[in-house]
Amino acid sequence: MIVAQARAPAFYQIYGVPDTVNGRLEMVMLHAVLFLQRVEDEAPVRALGQGLFDHFCRDMDASMREMGVGDLAVPRRMRRIGEAFYGRQAAYRAALAAPESELLVAALQRNVYAAEGELDCAGRLAAYVREAVRVLAAQDGEEFRRADLHFPDAAKLLVGA
């Protein structure tokens, strides 16, 4: 569900996320961080978070090998992906804890848009992220255990704005 949401065409067509391997990876990491933040304080579903992260790492490893990255280079690249993930997780958590959106916009600008002048796009994506946090918070742990995970419709969210 996280990967499907991260691949929603609206992010690349409307929000201006670069439709590249890195852009898609950023969106997967963003949605994974949002899910992990949601389940971290709820003991019955916290294990889902660890399972998700483990699956994410296995999938990244397999994807690199499929793209032709050599066996000796995969661990080094996985270490960089892990560092990137934890860095983004810390940045997004801090930004979401702030009442204003400036920190979130700046974090999205830096990570998703690689600081390429897409401030309007980062602002729209920040609004989506705040709505995703709200939607995830409204779901109960039983839904997560059934893999019944919902995110806001990114395209409709902008139409309604």
Side-chain angles (χ1 to χ4, degrees):
M1 298 297 271
I2 289 170
V3 172
Q5 182 68 15
R7 290 184 176 167
F11 293 119
Y12 309 96
Q13 297 168 354
I14 301 170
Y15 289 78
V17 172
D19 194 1
T20 62
V21 171
N22 285 340
R24 288 176 179 260
L25 176 60
E26 289 295 338
M27 293 308 293
V28 169
M29 286 194 289
L30 173 63
H31 285 88
V33 164
L34 295 175
F35 176 75
L36 291 172
Q37 179 176 328
R38 167 58 182 83
V39 299
E40 74 182 2
D41 292 329
E42 200 172 321
V45 291
R46 190 177 309 132
L48 289 174
Q50 185 61 53
L52 169 77
F53 185 75
D54 293 346
H55 181 75
F56 170 78
C57 290
R58 285 191 305 273
D59 189 55
M60 289 295 106
D61 183 283
S63 293
M64 280 190 272
R65 292 175 193 282
E66 190 175 293
M67 292 186 316
V69 176
D71 288 341
L72 295 176
V74 169
R76 183 178 58 248
R77 290 195 181 181
M78 284 301 299
R79 192 169 24 261
R80 285 197 307 245
I81 288 173
E83 290 168 357
F85 182 87
Y86 286 122
R88 279 147 181 78
Q89 185 178 42
Y92 294 146
R93 282 182 177 179
L96 287 166
E100 294 84 29
S101 290
E102 288 86 11
L103 285 176
L104 182 56
V105 170
L108 293 168
Q109 176 73 24
R110 181 177 58 253
N111 296 319
V112 175
Y113 299 100
E116 293 180 2
E118 298 292 342
L119 200 53
D120 289 343
C121 292
R124 289 192 297 268
L125 187 55
Y128 164 82
V129 168
R130 294 243 185 235
E131 179 63 10
V133 168
R134 189 192 69 71
V135 168
L136 287 169
Q139 296 171 57
D140 65 36
E142 187 56 37
E143 289 176 296
F144 295 149
R145 280 192 286 281
R146 291 190 316 260
D148 190 15
L149 175 64
H150 302 283
F151 287 98
D153 185 317
K156 288 182 182 176
L157 185 62
L158 278 182
V159 172

